[in-house]
Amino acid sequence: MTSSTKEIEQLIGKEYDKGFVTNLEADTFLPGLNEEVIAALSAKKNEPPFMLEWRLKAYRHWLTMTPPEWAFVNFKPIDYQQISYYSAPKQSEKLKSLDEVDPELLDTYKKLGIPLEEQERLSGVAVDAVFDSVSVATTFKGKLKEVGVIFCPISEAIQEYPELVKQYLGSVVPQEDNFYAALNSAVFTDGSFVYIPKGVRCPMELSTYFRINAANTGQFERTLIIADESSHVSYLEGCTAPMRDENQLHAAVVELVILDNAQIKYSTVQNWYPGDKDGKGGIYNFVTKRADCRGVNSKVSWTQVETGSAITWKYPSCVLTGDNSVGEFYSVALTNNYQQADTGTKMIHVGKNTRSTIISKGISAGKAQNSYRGLVKVLKSAENARNYTQCDSLLVGDQCGAHTFPYIEVKQPSANVEHEATTSKISEDQLFFCQQRGLSPEDAVSLIVNGFCKEVFKELPMEFAVEAQALLGISLEGSVG
Amino acid sequence: MASAVSSLEKYLEEYDEIKSTLPGQGLDWLVQLRQQGLDQFSTQGFPTTRDEDWRYTNVTPFIKKSFQSVLAKPSTTVLPEQMDHYYVPDCWQVVIVDGHFSNTLSKLDGLPEEVVVMALSDALIKCPDKVKSYLGQAVENEDHGFIHYNTAWFSEGLFVWIPQQVKMKQPLQLVHVVTQENVATATRNLIVAEAGAEGVVIESYFGSQAQAYLTSSISEVFVAENAHLTLYKLQNEASKALHCSGVYSQQEKHSTFNYLDFSFGGLIARNELHVNVGFAAACDLNGLFVGSGRQHFDNHTWINHLQPRGSSRELFKGILDGRARGVFQGCVKVFEDAQKIDSEMHNHNLLLSDNAEIDTKPQLVIYADDVKCAHGVTVGQLDDASVFYLQSRAVSEEEAKNMLTFAFANEMVDQIKVSSFKSYILALLLQKFPQGGIEQEWL
Amino acid sequence: MLSIKDLQVKIGDKSILKGISLDIKPGEVHAIMGPNGSGKSTLSHVLAGKEGYTITGGSIEIEGQDLEEMAPEIRAREGLFLAFQYPVEIPGVSNIYLLKAALNAVRKHQGLTEVDALDFLALVKEKIKLLGMDEKFLYRSVNQGFSGGEKKRNEILQMAVMEPKMCIMDETDSGLDIDALQIVAAGVNSLRSEKRSFLMITHYQRLLDYIVPDVVHVLADGRIVKTGGPELALELEQKGYGWIGQVE
């Protein structure tokens, strides 16, 4: 078995190949955080006064908070005064089309596998690319505008749609929600804003690629998506970062608002730099993502494939307020070397007949620690609420850890909650069976790991599913049973 | 917070008064052990909901009452006939009333000579060295206020020592009864099964009617190589009692430990169950809690697989009516290099009323790769197919649901291997289902 | 005994039974045969009153009483018995307890007194012998850990104790080896009487070798497409269900 364990480790332990640095002249603040920095940041973004107030309120509250310690992760305390809170590629003028985008930057995207012009032409995916802190290009804006969909950098939305922003920003994740969300609220630089008007089915999948490039810059995106009544949108988020030795902080906030009969599907592939084999470097990914299913019959679906970051602290959640609303969470989290992931979801059942599904697949290799942490809460008002949770962990190698921490709180007798979890290693019987049927050990492992993750992959949009499978370092050749 | 501090001080002040009456005065090691417990208790106090392990169970309002140690009160006499209904037939009995061993109420006739069964206070006189080698050993690395309190305060307990290869012919029942209001009792039990030994111990806790009091009990269990120990626990305290108990078991290689808990009484009952499973050892931990009114049950279990090839099975079931609240926190931890572990944990719950609540937290913490671990939790209603099946056999829907609810509980009773105890528990369980019209003879 | 007129049933939006009529007289044994998906199990469930089906037309009567509004337990007390294709396991409820609860519910409904413990035990022991079952079965949980054959025998035991008027047997032969099939059939045959009718739902003919029906119906796509004597079953066995399509 030891030989095949090694092979598995090799397969999963593919070197990070997105570690390159783009040389761009950047406009960067000196490290440090205080009210002046926030004011300067707000001024840089030409924000209306209400935003500065909003940020300062968050900042003042943040000062009273301490970082959470309950997660199953270990790292040295972060010195928030050593971080630069603003970094933008220097450009003299605002860009009007893709042609004006710095070619080197576009090349970066190419290396990431998302050439914008290609996408515009071929894949029909609208991309709002966030390079460090400023959104550099937004494609398909025009076509979306025709149907009334607003898809733009949030900095732009703050200026152009202040009423929408005022109404919804912070309404799902309040400024004081948690330590990292408060920090984000104070200093967020950019992110995406999406508004889908009543009855509109967004004609294409919306996509943002986040990328941390400059050294020692924290990245604090803020994403706000509003699906108005009977609308529908699928949103893709992909994240990569270049290889750097210093740990970099990423503390994003994503808020989803779903009104009556509307649906949001939010898919993430996160492969930020995980640090090297010795645990040096890597991104700290402390993210607050939450969806509020406010409307009746509304639905949200989170799908995530998390293979990157040195530390992941992330719990995309669903507040199921509207009657008959549905929340889903599908997750694959792979950790290797010294990576630590503490991820999961919260399903808060408030409305009647609300339903939620949680499928979590954790794969732990090397010396990594992989934890599922989830909360299913059924309030007294949530008659006939249903939840089904399944979290499975796969262990590769004998020095890693896989942990499961579900919390289930039920205050309603008609609720039906079912939770199942398993932890095991790749079965020798399965491996042997596959080999006996002529498969190489690599193909056998590929087959088994893919089978293990299949329930989640099938939730991803096609082009993402392909990327996700590639990210696991395993080819999906042949059909997986 | 001020009041919590002052209530802690009351406990500490009281300790000075009763200290000299505690057993084991002349034993330096014990005096030292108690002092350590007291020191830690005085810095920590009782746990609060700010402790993650106690987030669902708030004992602070009860602790504030400052229950007075039974040792500070005059003892009451209990007549043998008042005890009858506490005795499980066909068992040896050790009886502790209000924190004191009662020789006259205990029944140990016919106990094999080589087996040591006595009150802990006697053991501290007759075989202090033997006690020393076990007392405090199983809770050495445990750290919460109730353990430290118990270490400092315990006035009595059960000492059981089954020598190598000895198989006890019938079960031994610990009968723990509290008759007084607003008292606190602290008992420490030591249960030792030497290599190849076998035995069944029943711990049972009772109280009188609606009294409020605190029962603190800790059992340290040692199951040596190839030994097989079964521990049944019945908690049927008075309806306003606070019951905080802990069972801490150390299992050597190839041993088995079976534990089955029935929680019926008390207002707040917290069971700690910690098991260290040795090489190729097996443990089976099960429990049933049936609550109504404002009862609160918290089962906190922790299985440590420290060595390879161990197995563990765990099933706790809860039925909650009225405003009752149930908590299940179970953790299975597999340590590095503890390969080939096979572990399953299940928790199933039924809520019968709009105001009942269940919080459940099954956890897996795994540091070895060659393991098979699983857990499953359900909260919910009875199986529709079963209800329909019974209806198609002429049984009304309501009756069918009653029957299935009872059956849900009865499945745990079925696990009892001692028939006299099984009947005893069944009778108690039936009292919990007055509406069922269920007759014992047909079960 | 049982009279079904133009019964139409849907599951959700899907029509399953598209107008079935059947008339079973006291003492008669009818068989309904049909391929998978023809609606056989739906018919048995609807007769017993299972939720999840919508009756969109027609009627079901037992001895002139409309069944549609009756709860499942009332139908059972009125003498309708369904032997399930997949009897459920009920851990924690003993067989004997269920039998007693069922019998007393029926007796109460009929205005009779409940049977006392001793009489009941004697009655059950007599019935259990008929089915060649061990008395130990009485004290085991309902169907829990039973083999396929034991479950089916257990169904017949319940039938024997409850003494229904109208017995519906849903795929009773499925999963039985030949020995178990003979025991079950013998049990059923011993219960045949002038006052008791049977409706046997089955895919295969082999059960009908042992329990010979008076009338055989063929169900296809929610309709009875052919009715005949026992010989129809044999013909079906030889020619397969494809043949029915050609006949139509």
Side-chain angles (χ1 to χ4, degrees):
Chain A
M1 189 53 215
T2 38
S3 67
S4 54
T5 301
K6 255 184 209 143
E7 280 153 2
I8 299 162
E9 281 167 358
Q10 277 168 7
L11 287 168
I12 295 196
K14 232 172 101 176
E15 289 265 333
Y16 189 77
D17 64 1
K18 310 236 158 151
F20 44 84
V21 179
T22 310
N23 285 315
L24 285 170
E25 238 187 303
D27 177 9
T28 304
F29 278 15
L30 289 173
L33 182 59
N34 53 46
E35 296 203 2
E36 283 82 61
V37 168
I38 292 168
L41 194 153
S42 187
K44 270 262 184 231
K45 311 288 271 181
N46 291 320
E47 288 179 353
F50 84 89
M51 266 319 295
L52 179 59
E53 279 313 303
W54 198 88
R55 287 175 182 278
L56 289 174
K57 188 183 159 207
Y59 174 69
R60 287 167 194 148
H61 198 271
W62 178 73
L63 289 175
T64 69
M65 302 171 94
T66 50
E69 283 170 359
W70 40 260
F72 208 90
V73 293
N74 271 309
F75 59 96
K76 271 193 248 151
I78 297 166
D79 184 349
Y80 292 92
Q81 296 304 334
Q82 290 302 310
I83 294 170
S84 166
Y85 288 86
Y86 183 80
S87 171
K90 218 173 219 170
Q91 289 151 355
S92 44
E93 276 169 35
K94 237 190 148 200
L95 302 165
K96 290 190 183 64
S97 78
L98 281 178
D99 303 339
E100 293 176 40
V101 172
D102 189 317
E104 198 174 350
L105 204 149
L106 287 177
D107 197 43
T108 304
Y109 289 125
K110 267 187 201 141
K111 286 192 210 163
L112 288 175
I114 48 150
L116 291 169
E117 66 271 46
E118 286 280 315
Q119 289 201 359
E120 185 160 16
R121 195 157 46 83
L122 297 172
S123 60
V125 174
V127 178
D128 175 21
V130 175
F131 199 97
D132 285 338
S133 306
V134 177
S135 173
V136 287
T138 303
T139 52
F140 280 102
K141 243 172 147 176
K143 195 171 172 192
L144 292 170
K145 219 166 186 174
E146 277 171 33
V147 289
V149 171
I150 303 169
F151 180 37
C152 66
I154 199 161
S155 52
E156 196 178 311
I158 288 169
Q159 295 172 40
E160 291 183 22
Y161 312 99
E163 289 315 308
L164 277 175
V165 172
K166 239 188 208 173
Q167 186 182 349
Y168 290 107
L169 189 71
S171 74
V172 182
V173 179
Q175 287 128 299
E176 62 274 15
D177 191 81
N178 67 66
F179 184 82
Y180 301 116
L183 179 62
N184 174 286
S185 300
V187 302
F188 76 84
T189 42
D190 221 325
S192 295
F193 176 84
V194 178
Y195 174 79
I196 315 289
K198 277 183 199 179
V200 171
R201 197 180 168 91
C202 189
M204 63 192 74
E205 279 168 338
L206 305 181
S207 168
T208 301
Y209 270 75
F210 288 128
R211 176 148 168 75
I212 302 175
N213 190 59
N216 284 333
T217 56
Q219 189 161 21
F220 302 94
E221 283 87 24
R222 187 95 193 182
T223 296
L224 174 59
I225 302 178
I226 302 139
D228 212 327
E229 290 170 27
S230 304
S231 68
H232 180 284
V233 63
S234 170
Y235 188 88
L236 319 180
E237 174 195 63
C239 316
T240 53
M243 197 183 291
R244 284 200 182 275
D245 276 350
E246 297 87 351
N247 290 302
Q248 289 168 289
L249 175 65
H250 179 88
V253 171
V254 175
E255 297 181 275
L256 310 184
V257 178
I258 307 111
L259 302 179
D260 288 1
N261 305 305
Q263 283 189 28
I264 296 180
K265 185 173 172 61
Y266 195 106
S267 312
T268 303
V269 172
Q270 185 266 107
N271 65 330
W272 272 325
Y273 183 50
D276 66 13
K277 274 191 218 121
D278 303 316
K280 208 167 161 225
I283 300 290
Y284 289 180
N285 187 25
F286 301 151
V287 178
T288 305
K289 290 183 167 179
R290 195 174 303 154
D292 188 355
C293 282
R294 285 182 200 173
V296 297
N297 308 317
S298 57
K299 179 177 174 183
V300 66
S301 180
W302 296 103
T303 307
Q304 62 173 26
V305 176
E306 303 277 328
T307 61
S309 295
I311 299 175
T312 300
W313 180 98
K314 182 180 169 190
Y315 316 92
S317 305
C318 304
V319 182
L320 304 171
T321 313
D323 289 352
N324 313 317
S325 59
V326 176
E328 295 173 343
F329 175 76
Y330 301 96
S331 170
V332 166
L334 182 144
T335 51
N336 195 8
N337 297 320
Y338 284 88
Q339 277 180 280
Q340 307 175 58
D342 194 297
T343 185
T345 183
K346 290 182 194 175
M347 293 289 175
I348 315 291
H349 291 260
V350 184
K352 288 176 190 159
N353 306 314
T354 46
R355 282 177 290 141
S356 63
T357 304
I358 300 171
I359 307 287
S360 165
K361 305 283 179 180
I363 301 149
S364 198
K367 294 182 162 65
Q369 300 297 328
N370 198 328
S371 304
Y372 167 82
R373 186 180 304 277
L375 169 69
V376 173
K377 189 168 190 164
V378 179
L379 301 184
K380 193 168 283 190
S381 50
E383 283 170 34
N384 295 312
R386 296 282 178 272
N387 163 265
Y388 175 74
T389 300
Q390 190 191 326
C391 40
D392 299 321
S393 303
L394 199 61
L395 292 148
V396 183
D398 57 5
Q399 295 185 56
C400 52
H403 318 298
T404 316
F405 303 104
Y407 292 68
I408 297 153
E409 303 177 6
V410 182
K411 296 183 201 305
Q412 165 54 245
S414 61
N416 222 317
V417 177
E418 207 177 325
H419 169 100
E420 287 171 24
T422 63
T423 303
S424 58
K425 68 170 187 174
I426 289 185
S427 139
E428 286 175 39
D429 292 346
Q430 287 175 346
L431 274 180
F432 180 70
F433 174 83
C434 293
Q435 285 175 262
Q436 209 288 318
R437 293 294 179 268
L439 294 179
S440 70
E442 300 86 67
D443 288 348
V445 169
S446 159
L447 196 82
I448 294 163
V449 172
N450 268 302
F452 180 73
C453 299
K454 193 179 162 204
E455 280 169 279
V456 175
F457 286 161
K458 76 176 168 46
E459 296 299 323
L460 285 171
M462 183 52 109
E463 57 272 39
F464 249 37
V466 173
E467 185 176 347
Q469 284 154 9
L471 277 176
L472 290 187
I474 290 153
S475 106
L476 231 195
E477 292 297 326
S479 63
V480 179
Chain B
M1 266 322 285
S3 59
V5 170
S6 69
S7 76
L8 179 63
E9 273 164 9
K10 270 194 214 162
Y11 284 95
L12 294 172
E13 275 168 28
E14 180 203 60
Y15 192 73
D16 286 337
E17 290 168 31
I18 58 137
K19 197 155 94 173
S20 60
T21 65
L22 292 169
Q25 286 300 316
L27 302 168
D28 285 347
W29 61 268
L30 182 56
V31 172
Q32 212 182 337
L33 189 70
R34 285 190 190 273
Q35 187 59 45
Q36 282 168 11
L38 185 73
D39 291 345
Q40 277 174 299
F41 176 71
S42 58
T43 44
Q44 260 175 269
F46 290 109
T48 70
T49 50
R50 275 167 304 176
D51 300 304
E52 172 65 21
D53 285 346
W54 290 78
R55 61 184 279 159
Y56 296 117
T57 298
N58 186 5
V59 295
T60 310
F62 285 81
I63 296 308
K64 271 196 209 154
K65 282 189 153 187
S66 304
F67 296 109
Q68 204 182 357
S69 171
V70 276
L71 300 179
K73 291 210 168 185
S75 61
T76 48
T77 29
V78 179
L79 300 169
E81 52 268 34
Q82 289 173 286
M83 296 295 296
D84 276 351
H85 60 292
Y86 297 140
Y87 294 136
V88 173
D90 308 322
C91 295
W92 289 299
Q93 266 97 14
V94 167
V95 178
I96 296 174
V97 178
D98 294 334
H100 295 284
F101 171 66
S102 167
N103 197 21
T104 50
L105 297 173
S106 299
K107 297 176 181 178
L108 292 168
D109 301 341
L111 193 77
E113 263 177 34
E114 64 269 31
V115 176
V116 181
V117 175
M118 58 176 79
L120 185 62
S121 58
D122 283 347
L124 284 167
I125 295 164
K126 290 177 185 155
C127 50
D129 290 342
K130 208 169 230 169
V131 175
K132 188 187 174 188
S133 54
Y134 297 110
L135 184 64
Q137 300 301 312
V139 292
E140 212 183 352
N141 301 316
E142 305 290 341
D143 185 34
H144 73 71
F146 278 104
I147 293 177
H148 304 315
Y149 170 81
N150 187 283
T151 301
W153 261 263
F154 76 83
S155 68
E156 195 47 279
L158 171 68
F159 183 78
V160 183
W161 185 80
I162 314 169
Q164 285 194 20
Q165 307 300 335
V166 171
K167 296 175 174 55
M168 277 173 75
K169 296 270 181 308
Q170 63 178 33
L172 169 72
Q173 184 193 7
L174 166 69
V175 182
H176 184 277
V177 182
V178 178
T179 67
Q180 300 184 50
E181 181 105 43
N182 293 326
V183 295
T185 66
T187 48
R188 176 70 63 102
N189 307 312
L190 300 177
I191 301 166
V192 184
E194 292 288 13
E198 281 180 30
V200 176
V201 176
I202 301 169
E203 285 187 29
S204 54
Y205 296 84
F206 304 97
S208 314
Q209 290 160 12
Q211 289 180 340
Y213 56 85
L214 165 66
T215 298
S216 159
S217 118
I218 285 178
S219 300
E220 298 187 62
V221 179
F222 303 87
V223 192
E225 210 176 312
N226 291 311
H228 304 287
L229 188 80
T230 297
L231 179 60
Y232 296 122
K233 182 170 172 260
L234 164 63
Q235 182 275 106
N236 205 19
E237 302 272 19
S239 63
K240 286 184 188 157
L242 168 58
H243 176 94
C244 280
S245 79
V247 172
Y248 297 85
S249 166
Q250 306 280 347
Q251 275 185 266
E252 302 293 328
K253 64 179 179 185
H254 299 293
S255 65
T256 63
F257 176 58
N258 292 317
Y259 176 87
L260 182 51
D261 181 285
F262 294 92
S263 290
F264 296 148
L267 188 57
I268 295 185
R270 161 86 170 201
N271 292 323
E272 295 269 344
L273 178 55
H274 293 222
V275 181
N276 285 344
V277 185
F279 180 84
C283 75
D284 203 335
L285 312 178
N286 300 290
L288 170 71
F289 47 100
V290 180
S292 58
R294 286 185 169 272
Q295 281 183 295
H296 180 114
F297 295 117
D298 183 349
N299 286 292
H300 190 107
T301 73
W302 195 286
I303 299 173
N304 287 320
H305 283 285
L306 301 162
Q307 302 282 335
R309 296 186 181 275
S311 74
S312 53
R313 290 288 176 274
E314 186 174 4
L315 170 61
F316 272 74
K317 284 187 170 190
I319 300 177
L320 300 159
D321 203 349
R323 306 184 72 85
R325 186 170 178 195
V327 179
F328 173 79
Q329 304 186 71
C331 185
V332 173
K333 187 168 178 181
V334 177
F335 285 72
E336 229 172 279
D337 300 328
Q339 302 291 6
K340 307 266 180 212
I341 297 298
D342 182 354
S343 169
E344 264 183 47
M345 167 167 55
H346 295 278
N347 169 231
H348 301 303
N349 306 285
L350 288 179
L351 298 183
L352 302 182
S353 95
D354 285 346
N355 294 309
E357 179 178 342
I358 179 79
D359 300 299
T360 167
K361 217 176 97 182
Q363 307 187 344
L364 295 171
V365 178
I366 315 286
Y367 290 100
D369 67 327
D370 191 1
V371 298
K372 235 173 72 189
C373 296
H375 66 223
V377 167
T378 57
V379 179
Q381 293 160 302
L382 300 162
D383 175 42
D384 288 341
S386 299
V387 174
F388 177 69
Y389 187 79
L390 291 173
Q391 280 182 282
S392 78
R393 297 298 175 259
V395 176
S396 73
E397 187 179 346
E398 197 193 337
E399 210 182 324
K401 284 183 174 170
N402 261 328
M403 212 188 268
L404 291 170
T405 306
F406 181 81
F408 178 83
N410 194 30
E411 239 195 318
M412 300 310 292
V413 181
D414 270 344
Q415 294 195 11
I416 304 175
K417 302 270 186 332
V418 176
S419 62
S420 59
F421 185 57
K422 188 169 171 176
S423 318
Y424 189 90
I425 292 290
L426 201 51
L428 284 176
L429 186 64
L430 284 166
Q431 290 170 17
K432 299 260 163 198
F433 290 87
Q435 75 282 39
I438 291 156
E439 295 156 60
Q440 190 167 348
E441 59 193 291
W442 298 114
L443 293 165
Chain C
M1 178 65 66
L2 183 70
S3 167
I4 302 173
K5 283 187 190 128
D6 193 29
L7 181 67
Q8 295 155 46
V9 174
K10 280 186 174 180
I11 301 176
D13 294 333
K14 199 174 172 222
S15 279
I16 307 291
L17 301 182
K18 301 167 181 171
I20 286 188
S21 298
L22 264 184
D23 193 29
I24 304 176
K25 302 218 157 38
E28 281 184 351
V29 175
H30 287 226
I32 288 193
M33 300 184 70
N36 292 330
S38 58
K40 300 191 303 286
S41 283
T42 297
L43 179 62
S44 71
H45 289 159
V46 167
L47 290 174
K50 195 172 180 177
E51 277 181 28
Y53 301 92
T54 320
I55 297 180
T56 53
S59 68
I60 315 166
E61 286 178 3
I62 185 161
E63 292 188 321
Q65 285 194 73
D66 188 6
L67 276 186
E68 199 181 333
E69 297 302 316
M70 284 186 202
E73 64 269 28
I74 307 298
R75 300 178 195 213
R77 291 170 196 174
E78 286 289 339
L80 183 136
F81 184 94
L82 170 64
F84 285 77
Q85 182 181 7
Y86 304 110
V88 292
E89 298 189 5
I90 310 183
V93 173
S94 72
N95 250 326
I96 192 156
Y97 184 77
L98 171 62
L99 288 170
K100 185 164 180 269
L103 178 62
N104 279 333
V106 170
R107 289 180 62 92
K108 226 169 132 187
H109 188 72
Q110 293 168 346
L112 302 169
T113 54
E114 297 192 357
V115 297
D116 77 46
L118 283 177
D119 291 347
F120 176 69
L121 214 55
L123 172 84
V124 171
K125 284 184 177 173
E126 178 204 320
K127 305 281 186 191
I128 200 166
K129 261 187 218 136
L130 271 173
L131 289 150
M133 290 165 82
D134 195 303
E135 279 181 31
K136 279 184 200 146
F137 272 97
L138 293 174
Y139 300 97
R140 282 174 60 182
S141 289
V142 176
N143 295 328
Q144 195 184 20
F146 285 25
S147 70
E150 287 168 346
K151 283 182 183 174
K152 295 293 166 80
R153 266 193 270 177
N154 205 26
E155 294 290 287
I156 309 303
L157 174 65
Q158 292 168 23
M159 184 194 285
V161 170
M162 291 174 73
E163 300 188 329
K165 294 183 271 199
M166 180 68 232
C167 307
I168 299 151
M169 311 193 46
D170 190 1
E171 307 268 5
T172 297
D173 53 329
S174 71
L176 292 187
D177 62 32
I178 194 71
D179 294 334
L181 184 67
Q182 285 179 356
I183 294 170
V184 167
V188 171
N189 284 330
S190 73
L191 292 169
R192 284 178 76 161
S193 83
E194 284 174 10
K195 289 177 187 164
R196 185 171 293 136
S197 310
F198 287 83
L199 176 61
M200 295 192 293
I201 293 171
T202 181
H203 187 99
Y204 300 105
Q205 185 268 340
R206 65 172 194 160
L207 178 69
L208 308 182
D209 286 344
Y210 299 96
I211 307 170
V212 182
D214 301 306
V215 185
V216 174
H217 309 273
V218 179
L219 189 67
D221 191 27
R223 287 187 183 89
I224 289 176
V225 292
K226 203 167 171 55
T227 295
E231 69 289 351
L232 178 58
L234 289 167
E235 211 171 344
L236 262 181
E237 185 77 0
Q238 280 171 8
K239 298 180 178 171
Y241 286 106
W243 166 67
I244 295 296
Q246 292 158 19
V247 172
E248 271 187 297

